[in-house]
Amino acid sequence: MAKALFNRGDRVFVKPVGIWSTVERIMPQWVKGVEEPLKVFYDVGLGRDFVAHELSAETRDDRDTSLDHTLSEHWRVSRMSNRWTQEGEAQRSSHPFPGSYPVVVTDEQDWGGWRVPTAEYDRNPKRIEFQARVIVNALKMLRMTRDLAQFGGDYDAAMPDRLKDLLAIADEVLADVYQSEPAGPGALALAE
């Protein structure tokens, strides 16, 4: 016996196709003399009907969890060759790494991430190098901020005022990253 797992209008991920779609019709397969359908098929507008194990539901949560997976990622600085600047020309300038500029790689496949136009790098290379280091360490700082907020939630009673101020800042940062309202001093704005 089968029961419908999705409703009409639900947004679902269609695994065989690899795209998101909306359930347009629910089509149960009935057998005479049986109170419940044997199978339930879903029409999602892709030319054929799908069964429940081929679909996965969209999770509805109050906060955006798309960044949670990034806490286990490893971002790194890669160097790209500056093809518009001659090597001798870059050595005479204030470039920390002559003939190259930083690229922050945020994907396992060595593509995707943060890049800067060559002209902008030439304007202020030290500033761009600093930005690259900050971006690479952003996930570590986010982990530290989450840990600090959790720590504050555990020991909220007798804390120095300076630590309470730091916890409030941690809550603001987490609320900004996850686009939610701050939960108050020392409270973790994220559900684990």
Side-chain angles (χ1 to χ4, degrees):
M1 303 299 161
K3 294 191 185 231
L5 298 177
F6 306 105
N7 296 317
R8 187 170 181 238
D10 283 354
R11 188 166 184 243
V12 293
F13 184 75
V14 185
K15 295 175 190 174
V17 183
I19 63 169
W20 288 94
S21 188
T22 304
V23 175
E24 294 178 2
R25 288 189 309 153
I26 301 170
M27 299 167 298
Q29 181 183 19
W30 294 96
V31 174
K32 189 175 183 177
V34 179
E35 293 180 18
E36 293 183 14
L38 289 179
K39 290 182 180 178
V40 178
F41 295 97
Y42 301 92
D43 179 8
V44 294
L46 296 176
R48 80 168 176 94
D49 300 330
F50 294 91
V51 290
H53 74 271
E54 295 177 306
L55 307 172
S56 64
E58 179 181 38
T59 57
R60 298 199 184 265
D61 197 354
D62 290 348
R63 64 184 177 90
D64 182 12
T65 58
S66 62
L67 292 179
D68 286 347
H69 68 88
T70 62
L71 294 178
S72 62
E73 290 185 6
H74 176 71
W75 295 354
R76 63 198 175 283
V77 175
S78 178
R79 309 258 5 132
M80 297 295 286
S81 175
N82 188 346
R83 59 186 172 174
W84 303 111
T85 306
Q86 300 296 327
E87 210 122 341
E89 194 178 306
Q91 288 175 345
R92 287 188 301 255
S93 69
S94 62
H95 287 220
F97 298 94
S100 68
Y101 63 94
V103 173
V104 177
V105 180
T106 59
D107 188 63
E108 296 170 357
Q109 305 298 323
D110 283 344
W111 59 301
W114 173 86
R115 299 169 194 270
V116 64
T118 307
E120 187 176 335
Y121 181 76
D122 286 341
R123 241 185 2 200
N124 195 344
K126 290 180 181 173
R127 179 174 178 249
I128 300 301
E129 294 290 338
F130 173 75
Q131 289 175 355
R133 290 190 304 272
V134 168
I135 292 170
V136 164
N137 288 296
L139 293 178
K140 292 176 189 172
M141 290 187 276
L142 182 59
R143 281 186 214 108
M144 183 179 64
T145 305
R146 287 180 80 173
D147 290 346
L148 180 63
Q150 285 175 340
F151 172 79
D154 295 340
Y155 302 99
D156 199 23
M159 263 192 266
D161 289 338
R162 177 67 181 133
L163 185 55
K164 287 182 183 178
D165 293 343
L166 289 174
L167 292 172
I169 293 170
D171 283 338
E172 288 175 21
V173 168
L174 291 172
D176 189 41
V177 168
Y178 289 99
Q179 297 181 357
S180 63
E181 291 298 317
L188 180 62
L190 306 171
E192 285 301 319

